[in-house]
């Protein structure tokens, strides 16, 4: 593991952990993205190894931080049974699921309780997202299907508008079209709160909330100084975290920009020489040593 010796691993009380590209087995076998997906034997084996390592590590909290939503992530969480994995930052931190209470936290109320005025305002954008989800069900989906053919239902998310890119369509053109439709039906002020983006498989429209917001909120909520937290990620949707958060780690398979940002942290950045879940496993074992 490429870690500067001045980073004190025993100071880390909380780990914020990405899923895709970070919890996979050694061969990188991808997790499924549909609600009927179930983990493979090798994926389960890696998750259960990680679960044992988390449980025996000195960290107090292990928080998944992902763009995935609960109906899919629950298949992963089923094999992370440690009580340290109580909270899950989902949908790019637009949702925080509390497994012990089997429900979502009221993020505006939590931000207000933590006296984080900026986050009170930002998480307030989730009200707009609920209107946008309703708009897509009534208007947007039919409009997109009329152009591209086939069914284009949205994913069962509550804080993002996300749907699969149609086959053979130009992803940037699809994104431009839905953005144009939304801008025609919502005010300029409302649209200023939205972020229009895509991956290689999905369109994602976000309410101006990022993974870093969720990390900052959870640190305050749990009473953990951000200096005693570590964020783990691998891809470009983690850029805001890796640019601003003090302590970060990435696996060897991370995007080059993420690797560069991690190295730029000096003593506070870990670029593992292990890929996927093996990177986290090695970190946890070093923390326990």
């Amino acid at each position: 593991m490429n870690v500067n010796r001045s980073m004190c691993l025993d100071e880390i009380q909380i780990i914020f952990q990405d899923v895709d590209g970070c919890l996979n087995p050694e061969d990188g076998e991808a997790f499924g993205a549909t609600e009927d997906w179930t983990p493979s034997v090798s994926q389960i084996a890696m998750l259960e190894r990680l679960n044992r390592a988390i449980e025996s590590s000195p960290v107090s909290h292990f928080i998944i931080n992902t763009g995935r939503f609960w109906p899919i992530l629950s298949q992963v969480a089923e094999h992370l049974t440690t009580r340290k994995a109580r909270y899950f930052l989902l949908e790019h931190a637009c949702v925080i699921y509390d497994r012990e209470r089997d429900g979502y936290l009221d993020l505006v109320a939590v931000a207000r309780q933590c006296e984080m005025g900026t986050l009170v305002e930002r998480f307030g954008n989730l009200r707009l997202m609920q209107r946008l989800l309703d708009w897509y069900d009534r208007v947007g989906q039919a409009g997109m299907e009329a152009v591209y053919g086939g069914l284009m239902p949205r994913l069962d998310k509550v804080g993002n508008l996300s749907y699969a890119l149609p086959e053979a369509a130009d992803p940037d053109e699809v994104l431009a079209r839905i953005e144009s439709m939304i801008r025609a039906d919502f005010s300029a002020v409302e649209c200023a709160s939205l972020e229009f983006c895509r991956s290689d498989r999905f369109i994602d429209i976000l309410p101006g909330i990022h993974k870093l917001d969720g990390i900052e909120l959870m640190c305050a909520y749990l009473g953990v100084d951000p200096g005693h937290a570590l964020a783990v990620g691998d891809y470009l949707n983690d850029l805001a975290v890796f640019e601003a958060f003090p302590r970060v780690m990435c696996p060897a398979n991370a995007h080059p920009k993420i690797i560069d940002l991690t190295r730029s942290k000096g003593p506070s950045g870990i670029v593992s020489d292990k890929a996927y879940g093996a990177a986290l496993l090695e970190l946890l074992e070093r923390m326990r040593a």
Side-chain angles (χ1 to χ4, degrees):
M1 175 170 288
N2 181 8
V3 51
N4 189 302
R5 296 298 180 185
S6 63
M7 174 184 266
C8 296
L9 297 181
D10 58 358
E11 293 180 356
I12 298 173
Q13 299 175 24
I14 182 170
I15 294 177
F16 293 94
Q17 176 69 42
D18 195 10
V19 174
D20 296 285
C22 292
L23 293 182
N24 314 67
E26 287 92 336
D27 63 359
E29 181 187 1
F31 296 117
T34 59
E35 294 186 41
D36 60 354
W37 165 78
T38 56
S40 69
V41 172
S42 62
Q43 289 170 337
I44 291 172
M46 173 58 78
L47 292 169
E48 291 182 346
R49 286 176 67 193
L50 289 168
N51 185 72
R52 291 191 293 270
I54 294 163
E55 182 62 26
S56 60
S57 77
V59 300
S60 301
H61 304 280
F62 182 81
I63 299 180
I64 293 294
N65 189 20
T66 179
R68 288 172 172 260
F69 57 109
W70 183 248
I72 293 179
L73 187 69
S74 61
Q75 297 287 355
V76 172
E78 182 178 344
H79 303 284
L80 296 173
T81 57
T82 173
R83 294 192 68 181
K84 296 179 181 181
R86 171 177 175 174
Y87 299 102
F88 296 81
L89 278 167
L90 308 174
E91 303 183 27
H92 305 283
C94 294
V95 171
I96 299 179
Y97 179 77
D98 181 344
R99 181 156 56 180
E100 284 194 10
R101 297 182 180 180
D102 189 22
Y104 300 117
L105 299 183
D106 182 335
L107 300 189
V108 172
V110 171
R112 188 172 290 118
Q113 171 189 329
C114 296
E115 299 181 346
M116 305 177 79
T118 299
L119 292 186
V120 170
E121 180 178 350
R122 196 167 296 159
F123 284 114
N125 291 339
L126 291 170
R127 291 189 293 269
L128 170 61
M129 183 54 60
Q130 290 303 309
R131 290 177 47 222
L132 186 64
L133 296 176
D134 179 65
W135 170 88
Y136 189 79
D137 292 341
R138 292 184 297 101
V139 177
Q141 180 179 344
M144 295 297 288
E145 291 174 352
V147 174
Y148 298 103
L151 297 177
M152 296 175 66
R154 63 180 176 87
L155 300 181
D156 188 21
K157 293 186 175 184
V158 297
N160 304 165
L161 171 54
S162 302
Y163 59 90
L165 284 160
E167 292 185 11
D170 177 78
D172 291 326
E173 194 277 333
V174 176
L175 180 62
R177 183 174 296 276
I178 189 66
E179 180 174 351
S180 177
M181 291 175 63
I182 291 171
R183 291 190 182 280
D185 286 354
F186 289 79
S187 72
V189 172
E190 290 171 323
C191 290
S193 300
L194 300 175
E195 181 179 354
F196 300 86
C197 53
R198 70 166 181 85
S199 65
D200 57 340
R201 300 168 64 185
F202 293 96
I203 294 293
D204 291 301
I205 302 171
L206 314 177
I209 298 168
H210 300 279
K211 285 185 175 183
L212 185 60
D213 298 325
I215 289 175
E216 292 176 345
L217 186 66
M218 286 306 296
C219 282
Y221 183 62
L222 296 172
V224 176
D225 187 304
H228 296 292
L230 177 73
V232 183
D234 74 304
Y235 203 63
L236 297 179
N237 59 350
D238 299 308
L239 275 174
V241 174
F242 276 70
E243 288 171 347
F245 203 67
R247 286 184 170 183
V248 296
M249 185 185 90
C250 68
N253 57 284
H255 189 281
K257 287 186 177 180
I258 295 296
I259 290 176
D260 289 344
L261 279 169
T262 304
R263 287 179 174 151
S264 74
K265 300 286 183 179
S268 297
I270 301 173
V271 178
S272 178
D273 55 9
K274 305 288 186 182
Y276 304 105
L280 175 63
L281 192 62
E282 183 185 37
L283 173 76
L284 293 167
E285 290 171 348
R286 287 178 61 89
M287 293 176 70
R288 192 175 64 234

